[in-house]
């Protein structure tokens, strides 16, 4: 018999994951709303052309990572690989151009990229994104970074670092690209095969290639984009950095950060959690640490490059490129799955059973029916109550109530059900009394106040 599995790089999310996803969504919603961002949810499928044009033909996402499909009607659609082009499409389609600027939108949902699966990198993953459309002010870039930073802080991340760079506007970037290509041409044969291709198609991306041989060439004197910025872009960047200092947000200039998408202009950023060793291991402690680490971290995870928790930047040309008026904009996205993985690692040891103060037990066919009906009354009164309706023996139900640390158990027997009554037992004292069913919700409310 064939065993079915979820598609490569795609996961089932169970309650223990989902509760974190929901918490992150809630924190994003509270903070985004406070800053005046309105929720938007765009379709999972979009026209392929939107990303080919918006994200860019030569980007890794469009070249290698899109899940394409053709509809019965012959439309070419893709599972959305990122959020920004969809939001710009909706902004234009829904006439948001006429709204007061900046138009601020936030979203939360799944995205799809055909990547090589590894820890923290999935083919279906979730992002929470923010987009602010219509202002070219540096304060917006700072605000976007501040919001992502604060969302992560609220989720308990302590050692955050923003890596930041400016890639200038498209005009000056073209000049830089030329210089970069002419410099790297001499090293062509030493670059990895991807970078050989990038040299023709997307030379900027070479700067953040992860291959060691490329890294060495890049760090050995490649011209830096920051030296090619015009005065305006330079001032813009300086103001963003000064604001981050004022906001006490830790940042690090990373002259090689380019983020690989065609539409970015000026500020680009990524946010990481810095992992600091808490002690210098001696031989003995390092052996212990290694043995301990093996339980929680795979070899692959340990050798992995640090993964960004969020990334984004300014995209002043995208709205126009997709058919709108010239509209400077800035935004970014949080990688929800990666955040969940880190939160789970952090909270693993403190997992405890969820207490239920009330347990409803029953003995027999009619009591079962009555119990099912009674549950609804408790739900409407917002009183949490546990049950084991499928169980028949009272002792196994009481055992479970004990496990859940229930303070009170309600017992519906045949006799009580016939008399429209129910037993209320205090689990601590063992005392019990018989109460009319119609009064039980009120009684429990009083007791559990
Ligand atoms: P990376 O450099 O890690 O590939 P990216 O630049 O491709 O990231 P963005 O498009 O900026 O990613 O997406 C924003 C965030 O979404 C990332 O910082 C990351 O946290 C998360 N993310 C991106 N791709 C994936 C993936 N395949 N699986 C899980 N999370 C992802
Ligand atoms: Mg990527």
């Amino acid at each position: 018999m064939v065993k079915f599995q979820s598609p490569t790089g795609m996961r089932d999310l169970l309650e223990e994951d989902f509760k974190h996803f929901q918490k992150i969504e809630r924190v994003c919603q509270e903070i985004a709303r406070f800053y005046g961002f309105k929720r938007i949810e765009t379709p999972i499928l979009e026209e392929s052309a939107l990303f080919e044009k918006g994200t860019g033909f030569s980007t890794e996402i469009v070249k290698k990572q899109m899940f394409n499909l053709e509809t019965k009607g012959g439309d070419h659609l893709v599972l959305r690989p990122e959020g920004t082009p969809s939001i710009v499409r909706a902004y234009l389609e829904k006439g948001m151009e006429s709204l007061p600027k900046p138009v601020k939108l936030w979203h939360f949902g799944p995205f799809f990229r055909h990547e090589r699966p590894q820890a923290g990198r999935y083919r279906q993953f979730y992002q929470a994104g923010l987009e602010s459309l219509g202002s070219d002010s540096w304060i917006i870039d700072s605000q976007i970074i501040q919001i992502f930073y604060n969302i992560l802080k609220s989720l308990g991340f302590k050692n955050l670092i923003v890596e930041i760079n400016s890639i200038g506007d498209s005009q000056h970037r073209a000049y830089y690209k030329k210089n970069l290509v002419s410099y790297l041409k001499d090293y062509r044969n030493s670059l990895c095969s991807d970078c050989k291709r990038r040299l023709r198609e997307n030379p900027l991306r070479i700067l953040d290639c992860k291959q060691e041989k490329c890294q060495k060439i890049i760090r050995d004197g490649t011209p830096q984009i920051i030296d090619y910025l015009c005065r305006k872009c330079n001032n813009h960047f300086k103001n963003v950095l000064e604001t981050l200092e004022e906001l006490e947000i830790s940042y690090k200039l990373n002259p090689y950060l380019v983020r690989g998408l065609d539409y970015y202009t000026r500020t680009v950023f990524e946010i990481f959690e810095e992992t600091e060793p808490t002690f210098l291991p001696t031989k003995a402690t390092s052996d212990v640490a290694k043995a301990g680490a093996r339980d929680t971290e795979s070899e692959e995870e340990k050798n992995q490059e640090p993964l960004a928790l969020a990334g984004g930047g300014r995209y002043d040309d995208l709205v126009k490129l997709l058919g709108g008026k010239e509209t400077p904009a800035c935004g970014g996205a949080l990688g929800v799955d990666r955040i969940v993985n880190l939160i789970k690692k952090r909270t693993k040891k403190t997992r405890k059973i969820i207490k239920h103060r009330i347990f409803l037990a029953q003995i027999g066919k009619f009591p079962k029916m009555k119990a099912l009906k009674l549950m609804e009354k408790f739900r409407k009164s917002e009183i949490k109550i546990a049950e084991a309706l499928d169980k028949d023996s009272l002792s196994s139900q009481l055992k479970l109530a004990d496990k859940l640390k229930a303070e009170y158990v309600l017992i519906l027997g045949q006799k009580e059900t016939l008399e429209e009554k129910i037993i209320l037992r205090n689990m601590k004292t063992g005392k019990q009394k018989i109460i009319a069913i119609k009064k039980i919700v009120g009684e429990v409310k009083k007791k559990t106040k």
Side-chain angles (χ1 to χ4, degrees), residues 61 65 113 115 121 205 338:
I61 287 186
Q65 300 181 341
R113 294 184 195 169
E115 321 208 41
R121 196 175 287 287
R205 193 71 220 231
R338 291 182 188 174

Side-chain angles (χ1 to χ4, degrees), residues 261-319:
L261 306 187
D262 278 0
Y263 55 66
Y264 282 117
T265 50
R266 296 188 167 174
T267 317
V268 286
F269 69 89
E270 284 182 349
I271 307 181
F272 293 84
E273 186 186 43
E274 274 191 320
T275 42
E276 289 168 286
T278 44
F279 62 92
L280 283 174
T282 59
K283 168 89 178 68
T285 55
S286 88
D287 286 344
V288 174
K290 268 187 219 150
R294 225 171 273 140
D295 293 340
T296 52
E297 242 175 325
S298 65
E299 277 305 312
E300 186 192 31
E301 272 178 88
K302 273 186 282 172
N303 298 331
Q304 207 178 26
E305 285 274 323
L307 292 170
L309 299 182
R314 179 161 275 287
Y315 48 96
D316 288 345
D317 304 329
L318 183 62
V319 180

